Amino acid sequence: MSSENAQIRIIASMPLAEDWGKLTKYTFDYRRHDGEWQRQTREVYDRGNGAVILLYNRRKRSVILTRQFRLPLFVNQHHGFLLEAAAGLLDELEPEERIRHEAEEETGYRLEQVQKVFVAWMSPGSVSEKLHFFIAEYDDSKRTGSGGGVIEEGEDIEVVEMDFATALAAIRTGDIADGKTIMLLQHLALEGIL
Ligand SMILES: Nc1nc2c(ncn2[C@@H]2O[C@H](COP(=O)(O)OP(=O)(O)O[C@H]3O[C@H](CO)[C@@H](O)[C@H](O)[C@@H]3O)[C@@H](O)[C@H]2O)c(=O)[nH]1
Ligand SMILES: [Mg+2]
């Protein structure tokens, strides 16, 4: 973060919470397009950057998803069990290294080749996370275990193999409702990969 440039001056930062993630209230001066400076405050939630991967199989025309409980949804009028592409926080690792590790931990597939497709900010008004998107081909020979995540960390991940057509239909019905997962499924369709 640059604290000062021609258009932005950070005036103060006040930690509101420093626990799992960091919630900070920033006061900054912003120079508007008409040249006037305006003082503003914004809360920023920082819990690091992340990576996500969609596993696909051309022959079976299928994808590998995970289903796990997500508390933030549960407290916002959803049952909480969300279908998602495998994802994780970087924790100091390079995105490609992290996502290979995460894919095996969560889905049980060990992938040699992963392809980076794009980077996106998923909630830019409040969350600082930058998310790195990957895809990779899987087949049964790459299966090393049953996945499921790390019990000690409270993970209880169900691995779901789904027809690609069923997954695309599930976006329309709302059964797949996770942003990063929708983006990767649509990427496979748009690029004609599946
Ligand atoms: N103690 C504690 N543990 C937490 C907390 N939040 C998450 N964890 C634990 O931290 C681990 C995070 O797992 P990852 O696989 O690394 O991340 P994720 O939860 O799947 O996904 C996150 O990253 C994605 C990609 O950046 C995001 O898309 C997703 O929203 C989420 O933040 C899990 O074991 C989870 O239980 C918390 O507030 N307290
Ligand atoms: Mg995860």
Side-chain angles (χ1 to χ4, degrees):
M1 177 189 69
S2 96
S3 61
E4 211 156 292
N5 70 21
Q7 212 179 344
I8 312 291
R9 289 183 195 140
I10 301 287
I11 303 300
S13 63
M14 181 171 62
L16 298 180
E18 290 196 50
D19 195 349
W20 175 262
K22 282 191 269 183
L23 181 63
T24 307
K25 184 169 183 170
Y26 288 93
T27 303
F28 63 103
D29 285 343
Y30 173 83
R31 189 158 63 83
R32 303 182 63 82
H33 283 92
D34 62 8
E36 286 293 308
W37 285 90
Q38 185 179 41
R39 184 148 295 185
Q40 302 187 9
T41 62
R42 290 290 181 276
E43 292 179 14
V44 176
Y45 185 50
D46 172 8
R47 42 79 198 275
N49 295 320
V52 55
I53 190 163
L54 184 59
L55 278 54
Y56 66 93
N57 181 288
R58 277 204 175 90
R59 189 182 55 78
K60 291 202 263 188
R61 295 190 57 76
S62 57
V63 292
I64 298 287
L65 300 175
T66 64
R67 188 186 279 115
Q68 65 186 304
F69 178 67
R70 294 298 197 182
L71 183 69
L73 282 64
F74 185 74
V75 298
N76 192 17
Q77 298 173 352
H78 185 273
H79 52 69
F81 287 88
L82 197 65
L83 275 167
E84 298 173 55
L89 301 170
L90 296 186
D91 285 336
E92 315 291 320
L93 289 183
E94 288 302 309
E96 189 176 321
E97 192 181 347
R98 165 54 65 199
I99 204 58
R100 275 221 202 82
H101 184 77
E102 204 67 28
E104 186 165 8
E105 200 169 271
E106 296 194 352
T107 70
Y109 288 89
R110 182 173 296 161
L111 308 156
E112 298 91 47
Q113 300 283 339
V114 299
Q115 185 187 341
K116 183 162 183 176
V117 287
F118 45 74
V119 164
W121 306 94
M122 300 303 285
S123 196
S126 54
V127 180
S128 63
E129 179 183 21
K130 181 199 270 190
L131 191 57
H132 300 260
F133 287 72
F134 294 85
I135 56 174
E137 276 215 82
Y138 77 95
D139 60 52
D140 293 345
S141 72
K142 297 191 169 65
R143 192 123 196 256
T144 57
S146 55
V150 182
I151 294 174
E152 298 74 44
E153 290 179 6
E155 290 179 325
D156 182 25
I157 296 171
E158 182 191 348
V159 182
V160 179
E161 185 171 40
M162 193 180 273
D163 289 339
F164 185 55
T166 306
L168 289 180
I171 297 173
R172 291 189 284 275
T173 61
D175 290 333
I176 289 181
D178 172 56
K180 59 187 180 294
T181 308
I182 293 173
M183 289 165 75
L184 283 173
L185 287 167
Q186 292 182 342
H187 175 80
L188 291 187
L190 281 171
E191 299 292 323
I193 296 168
L194 276 194

